[in-house]
Amino acid sequence: MNFVLTPFHASSLVRQINGSVTRDGSCLNLQYQFSGTSSILLNEPVDFPERRDRLWESTCFECFIGLSSADRYLECNLSSAGHWQAYEFEGYRTIAHTSKDFRVSGDYRRQTPDNNIVRCSVDINHPDFVTEDWHISPAVILKEIDGPLQYFAASHPDNKPDFHLASQRTLILPCVR
């Protein structure tokens, strides 16, 4: 399933981010592709990525995964360096804990100076999520080298960027039963 993310504020640096998302059993696969990044902070991949908090304070590739049967949802974060984090929420912005039930891995590749691809896989072993349809909202935060953060989502329904809204999770990946 393909998606397009647009900036919260018009940007001359990156006009949109194209992507795709698929589900393979308990694994969520995402790809983000964008260009026009000479002024965006993109760290080269590290050999040993690790779990880190607060990745959203710089360039960060995110995905929110909810269920139709509950208010619970998961958030996964991936930096261009490969560092990652996973959170579980009981309800809107009500964090339960750092999730141990799924792992995020990915890679960042600069195809050409103006063509970048980030691939992300999320292995979801959470028992409540494996047997349910997933409601997905991919999102991206890009950090300008000497400037502000830019927020990208499929839509921006409010007067501020908010990736946690259940109404944003519009891509549905059915459970394979």
Side-chain angles (χ1 to χ4, degrees):
M1 181 176 305
N2 294 327
F3 60 84
V4 175
L5 307 179
T6 58
F8 180 68
H9 292 294
S11 167
S12 61
L13 299 175
V14 176
R15 298 193 193 290
Q16 72 180 31
I17 296 172
N18 297 307
S20 63
V21 60
T22 60
R23 179 177 182 173
D24 183 14
S26 65
C27 191
L28 175 69
N29 299 299
L30 294 126
Q31 178 173 291
Y32 304 87
Q33 187 169 3
F34 54 99
S35 60
T37 58
S38 61
S39 297
I40 300 296
L41 180 61
L42 292 164
N43 296 312
E44 291 300 319
V46 297
D47 289 335
F48 302 103
E50 57 190 38
R51 287 186 93 136
R52 289 194 180 170
D53 285 320
R54 307 185 72 79
L55 292 174
W56 59 83
E57 293 177 346
S58 189
T59 297
C60 183
F61 301 87
E62 301 187 343
C63 188
F64 294 79
I65 306 146
L67 306 172
S68 58
S69 63
D71 291 336
R72 301 171 66 191
Y73 63 98
L74 308 174
E75 173 186 352
C76 63
N77 302 156
L78 177 71
S79 75
S80 56
H83 302 302
W84 65 281
Q85 190 54 278
Y87 303 98
E88 185 174 343
F89 291 81
E90 290 300 322
Y92 175 75
R93 291 191 178 268
T94 306
I95 192 164
H97 52 80
T98 302
S99 181
K100 305 213 182 314
D101 292 319
F102 70 110
R103 177 171 169 71
V104 181
S105 61
D107 68 296
Y108 158 66
R109 303 213 190 260
R110 181 169 287 173
Q111 303 292 89
T112 67
D114 275 342
N115 187 17
N116 297 272
I117 295 177
V118 172
R119 290 185 180 95
C120 177
S121 292
V122 183
D123 187 12
I124 302 173
N125 290 315
H126 193 293
D128 294 343
F129 282 75
V130 173
T131 59
E132 294 279 339
D133 294 348
W134 294 342
H135 295 246
I136 307 293
S137 64
V140 175
I141 300 169
L142 295 179
K143 169 74 172 119
E144 290 184 43
I145 292 172
D146 292 319
L149 297 172
Q150 295 182 40
Y151 301 91
F152 290 78
S155 66
H156 301 279
D158 241 337
N159 59 356
K160 64 179 183 174
D162 190 349
F163 303 149
H164 289 261
L165 293 169
S167 61
Q168 295 292 92
R169 296 190 288 271
T170 58
L171 301 176
I172 300 173
L173 298 176
C175 175
V176 178
R177 294 180 173 99

